[in-house]
Amino acid sequence: QIFLGLTYLSSGTTYPQHAHDATELYYTLLGSARWGPSLRHLKTVHPGNFILHSTAQPHAFYVSILYTIYHFQMFCYIIMI
């Protein structure tokens, strides 16, 4: 199964470390956020960047007002189960 979607994350959004049984591919459209394997190890992702999470790969993200002029991040995603 393949799922496609569009997501909007407002400034201040924190998504703690988690993992899925699916492979996830994200593409950043607008804004920036900090993504990584945990909230302690994040790097800034900008528009035009892809993010790939393999099956069961832990990941987390945080949208900060400091990292984007838009004060949000918008990305499209593909989830493959």
Side-chain angles (χ1 to χ4, degrees), residues 1-57:
Q1 294 178 327
I2 297 177
F3 298 91
L4 304 172
L6 182 66
T7 300
Y8 168 93
L9 301 171
S10 63
S11 179
T13 299
T14 299
Y15 205 108
Q17 185 184 47
H18 62 285
H20 309 279
D21 292 334
T23 298
E24 301 173 306
L25 177 64
Y26 298 92
Y27 179 75
T28 304
L29 299 169
L30 293 170
S32 298
R34 300 193 36 88
W35 289 66
S38 72
L39 290 174
R40 297 178 71 191
H41 301 94
L42 301 175
K43 73 173 197 170
T44 304
V45 177
H46 301 284
N49 292 154
F50 283 95
I51 304 159
L52 176 64
H53 296 133
S54 300
T55 301
Q57 179 182 3

Side-chain angles (χ1 to χ4, degrees), residues 44-80:
T44 304
V45 177
H46 301 284
N49 292 154
F50 283 95
I51 304 159
L52 176 64
H53 296 133
S54 300
T55 301
Q57 179 182 3
H59 55 282
F61 57 83
Y62 173 67
V63 181
S64 170
I65 195 169
L66 301 175
Y67 296 103
T68 175
I69 60 170
Y70 295 104
H71 309 297
F72 66 87
Q73 183 187 42
M74 183 177 287
F75 58 87
C76 59
Y77 61 87
I78 300 172
I79 298 175
M80 297 155 278

